[in-house]
Amino acid sequence: MTEPPRPPGDATPDSGSEPTTPLPPTYSAPGGAASPGYVPPPAGGYPPPPAGAGYPPPTSGAGYPPPTSGAGGYPPPPGGFPPGGYPPGGAYGGHPSPGYANSDEKTWALLAHFGGPAGVIVGGGLLGWVAPLIALLAKGGQSQTVRAHAVAALNFQITWALAMLGGVVLAIISCGVLFFVPFVIALVPIVFGIIGGVKATEGTLYRYPMSVTMVR
């Protein structure tokens, strides 16, 4: 019996006219039969890798080398290091007043100047030299700045303490007629002592007028 003619391109599977492309293997649902092309793992599982396989352990001393001093170390800051090193007394954080290396110097300098008027008021015009002398003995050997302020205030207060003694003697000799002289004399170390303290606050060494240099 003769097979009726087929349309062009309609070939039977066994005719060999067109190649058959195999479908890619697919995975089956859990519990179902494995799809063609899937190789199940062995019954005992895959064997472990042999000893020593994989990445080698880190060796002793490995890592980044430490920074070295001098050549090959960390580069200097932009602009270089300041001459003489960094200033003492925390000048990069505390910002001390101009003319002082730290706040401790400023405190003692102010004590030397403002302590003079306080001593004049408390001591009847005769103890203005006490505070500058304390500042000189306590910090004068450690700081040239404190010593300069203390010496200037000390010479001025000693000068006017002696002037106060002369005024008291003059008031006594005049039988009280010149009683106002000691009060006028006492105003001088008070006023100029305050001026010296204000200048010291600004970081300036005040040169007292009408002062005899007795301590250097």
Side-chain angles (χ1 to χ4, degrees):
M1 183 177 181
T2 303
E3 184 179 359
R6 297 176 179 272
D10 187 9
T12 57
D14 53 352
S15 63
S17 59
E18 292 183 3
T20 303
T21 302
L23 296 177
T26 57
Y27 295 96
S28 60
S35 300
Y38 172 75
V39 180
Y46 293 104
Y55 293 103
T59 58
S60 177
Y64 294 103
T68 56
S69 59
Y74 292 111
F81 295 101
Y86 291 102
Y92 287 98
H95 301 289
S97 300
Y100 302 101
N102 49 57
S103 59
D104 189 54
E105 283 190 354
K106 181 178 179 180
T107 300
W108 284 100
L110 295 181
L111 175 65
H113 292 284
F114 285 120
V120 171
I121 296 173
V122 174
L126 299 176
L127 300 180
W129 52 270
V130 175
L133 180 61
I134 293 175
L136 178 62
L137 296 177
K139 292 293 181 180
Q142 304 175 14
S143 171
Q144 292 297 324
T145 303
V146 175
R147 181 178 180 83
H149 285 272
V151 168
L154 180 60
N155 286 325
F156 178 76
Q157 294 296 339
I158 290 177
T159 300
W160 285 93
L162 296 176
M164 174 62 70
L165 286 177
V168 172
V169 172
L170 185 61
I172 294 174
I173 292 176
S174 65
C175 298
V177 176
L178 301 177
F179 70 94
F180 59 90
V181 173
F183 295 97
V184 175
I185 294 176
L187 290 177
V188 177
I190 292 176
V191 172
F192 286 98
I194 293 175
I195 295 176
V198 173
K199 292 294 184 179
T201 304
E202 301 172 353
T204 304
L205 177 61
Y206 182 63
R207 302 294 181 180
Y208 287 92
M210 299 174 290
S211 177
V212 179
T213 302
M214 302 178 188
V215 180
R216 295 184 181 274

